[in-house]
Amino acid sequence: MASASSAEGAHWMSPHELKLVTILSIDGGGIRGIIPATILAFLEEKLQELDGSDARLADYFDVVAGTSTGGLLTAMLTAPDTNGRPLFDAKDLARFYINHSPRIFQQKNRIRLKITRKLKMVWGPKYDGKYLHALLRRYLGDTRLDRTLTNVVIPTFDIAYLQPTIFSSFELKHRPWKNALLSDISMSTSAAPTFFPPHYFETKDENGRRRAFNLVDGGLAANNPTLCAMNQVSKDIILGNEHFFPVKPTDYGKFMVISLGCGSNRNRRYCAKAAAKWGIFNWLIKNGTAPIIDMYNSASADMVDINLCVLFRALRSSQNYLRIQYDQLTGTAGSIDDCSKENMDKLVRIGKRLLDMNVSRVDLETGRIVEVPGVGTNAEQLTRFAKQFSDERRRRQNELIYAEVGFQNEAW
């Protein structure tokens, strides 16, 4: 949890001050990023009610993780502006999608052009990504990973090595060649195969050695990056980062985690007999969706959620893990690139509806999302988390003041 956002980059409080590790994680999902963006606006509003209008999400989370569209949101929430404050307020995130998505996902209404674009996906990406790339260059500029206002974790996948490449603030000390531009990282994590082209860029270490990256969507590695973020913290503790003392590598009882999904449709079903007749085209496009992408995104996200549900329950810390996901998307709402005004307005409404829905968990037997009795709504839980985040931030600020006064007394 950053005590105060600063353009000097992510930093931690002194060892004796750390009692909680606070993590925000945002799934991938294309245009459906509007759903978590709407929820984040609510959370930041609650923090501002407690600590004033200048409060921003980056002030309260030790780690912000995001994949694909979640990676874009992560960059927007943690990149500094010219005043050393977050580039975007959470209330502006959904508006960003609404304003720019029609040009990112250049959609036309004419049937002939729709058919042409679908056919194009057979031999090339559906979109060229030029507008998205220009947009990210304009907003993120020369900001590199080490300048974020709190620690970030953004997964990508390197097709040259067939390995995940995780851009993490925690790794920069040992892997300085990962200190890439946030714009390059954002382009890479959102380069969904068949939708956008892979992204290539190079970095240099302090000795001038070059490192090449050939990257695609982080959803291939971790569409739900929550566990990835927790592992990065644990690894940093194992490597001896004293700032986490006395938290131990597996001391997840001190982790407070909010994990936001971009929605899914559990009611969509595919029949093996029918799918046995599918060719490449049907796996890529079926009734306005991309079955193969939906499947690996859902599988990746659900496995993480199920594992974390088990972990936090086993540690009797279920109250420290809040997963907010909507599993009843239908029609255009299930698309990752339908940016019609009607659909985007629908996604905003879904995000607001989620706030009023009761907290849910994955049923370990069926994989279905079911309500948790007696816990209340997502809005009520986010309000509770906001209060704990605020209390922790104030505690750290007070500890810092006491430490500074003590140091000055010793100097005298």
Side-chain angles (χ1 to χ4, degrees):
M1 181 181 298
S3 63
S5 297
S6 163
E8 294 304 313
H11 58 280
W12 290 84
M13 304 303 295
S14 60
H16 65 283
E17 294 168 346
L18 188 65
K19 287 188 178 179
L20 296 175
V21 178
T22 54
I23 296 176
L24 170 65
S25 175
I26 313 167
D27 288 12
I31 188 64
R32 302 199 308 260
I34 289 174
I35 295 174
T38 303
I39 294 169
L40 290 170
F42 175 85
L43 177 59
E44 188 168 271
E45 180 184 350
K46 291 301 171 183
L47 290 167
Q48 290 171 346
E49 290 175 3
L50 294 166
D51 295 332
S53 60
D54 290 336
R56 296 293 181 269
L57 291 175
D59 300 330
Y60 297 86
F61 286 98
D62 294 318
V63 189
V64 180
T67 297
S68 195
T69 196
L72 301 185
L73 291 169
T74 295
M76 289 190 285
L77 289 170
T78 62
D81 63 14
T82 54
N83 297 315
R85 296 297 291 153
L87 192 61
F88 281 82
D89 297 352
K91 63 181 174 58
D92 296 327
L93 296 175
R95 179 57 53 186
F96 177 89
Y97 278 83
I98 291 170
N99 289 343
H100 295 289
S101 292
R103 295 189 65 183
I104 295 172
F105 304 109
Q106 309 145 1
Q107 297 190 349
K108 306 292 183 181
N109 292 324
R110 287 176 291 178
I111 295 176
R112 181 179 299 176
L113 289 179
K114 286 186 176 182
I115 294 173
T116 300
R117 184 166 288 125
K118 289 179 180 179
L119 291 174
K120 183 182 176 184
M121 290 179 70
V122 176
W123 64 80
K126 190 174 182 180
Y127 307 105
D128 60 24
K130 291 181 180 178
Y131 182 79
L132 175 61
H133 292 188
L135 195 65
L136 292 171
R137 295 288 190 209
R138 173 155 59 101
Y139 277 102
L140 299 175
D142 296 327
T143 303
R144 292 188 177 272
L145 181 60
D146 65 348
R147 303 289 289 179
T148 56
L149 298 173
T150 191
N151 298 284
V152 302
V153 175
I154 302 177
T156 66
F157 189 84
D158 197 312
I159 58 176
Y161 295 96
L162 295 182
Q163 288 289 320
T165 296
I166 311 299
F167 288 93
S168 165
S169 304
F170 301 110
E171 294 191 343
L172 293 181
K173 180 178 180 180
H174 306 286
R175 296 178 175 86
W177 43 268
K178 281 192 173 181
N179 192 26
L181 291 170
L182 272 183
S183 56
D184 280 323
I185 296 171
S186 299
M187 292 176 204
S188 302
T189 193
S190 57
T194 76
F195 284 88
F196 292 107
H199 186 57
Y200 175 87
F201 65 93
E202 296 181 356
T203 60
K204 291 181 181 179
D205 63 15
E206 66 275 12
N207 298 316
R209 291 188 293 255
R210 292 182 177 273
R211 172 64 156 81
F213 296 90
N214 299 267
L215 304 177
V216 297
D217 196 319
L220 287 174
N223 197 55
N224 176 347
T226 312
L227 191 57
C228 183
M230 294 172 66
N231 287 343
Q232 286 288 311
V233 174
S234 295
K235 184 168 71 172
D236 213 45
I237 296 172
I238 292 171
L239 292 175
N241 187 339
E242 65 177 11
H243 296 296
F244 288 107
F245 181 82
V247 179
K248 299 177 182 178
T250 57
D251 197 359
Y252 295 123
K254 293 185 177 179
F255 284 56
M256 289 201 69
V257 179
I258 294 177
S259 175
L260 304 180
C262 289
S264 65
N265 183 1
R266 303 298 176 120
N267 293 323
R268 182 181 296 138
R269 294 287 186 267
Y270 298 105
C271 172
K273 291 182 179 179
K277 301 175 183 178
W278 290 358
I280 294 175
F281 191 81
N282 288 127
W283 280 102
L284 295 178
I285 304 173
K286 188 71 173 176
N287 298 327
T289 66
I292 188 65
I293 294 177
D294 286 343
M295 289 177 189
Y296 76 67
N297 281 348
S298 294
S300 170
D302 289 349
M303 284 301 296
V304 171
D305 187 27
I306 290 172
N307 287 335
L308 289 179
C309 279
V310 172
L311 175 63
F312 278 92
R313 286 183 200 175
L315 295 173
R316 301 184 183 277
S317 301
S318 292
Q319 73 281 358
N320 285 11
Y321 173 61
L322 178 62
R323 170 71 170 170
I324 301 180
Q325 174 70 311
Y326 186 78
D327 67 345
Q328 302 297 320
L329 294 181
T330 58
T332 58
S335 169
I336 68 171
D337 65 339
D338 188 320
C339 54
S340 63
K341 184 181 186 304
E342 294 77 13
N343 190 54
M344 291 191 290
D345 288 344
K346 184 191 300 183
L347 293 172
V348 171
R349 290 195 298 271
I350 289 172
K352 292 180 178 179
R353 189 188 313 158
L354 259 175
L355 293 169
D356 295 328
M357 294 174 64
N358 288 332
V359 172
S360 302
R361 292 279 188 271
V362 172
D363 186 291
L364 303 183
E365 295 295 327
T366 66
R368 292 274 184 177
I369 296 179
V370 295
E371 291 185 3
V372 180
V375 177
T377 66
N378 289 315
E380 290 170 342
Q381 285 300 302
L382 285 170
T383 301
R384 179 180 69 84
F385 270 69
K387 180 64 167 62
Q388 289 185 265
F389 292 157
S390 175
D391 290 345
E392 174 66 6
R393 183 175 182 235
R394 285 179 180 157
R395 187 189 65 76
R396 293 188 191 185
Q397 289 174 330
N398 289 335
E399 290 280 352
L400 184 60
I401 292 172
Y402 295 150
E404 289 177 348
V405 170
F407 177 78
Q408 291 172 357
N409 290 338
E410 288 180 7
W412 282 101

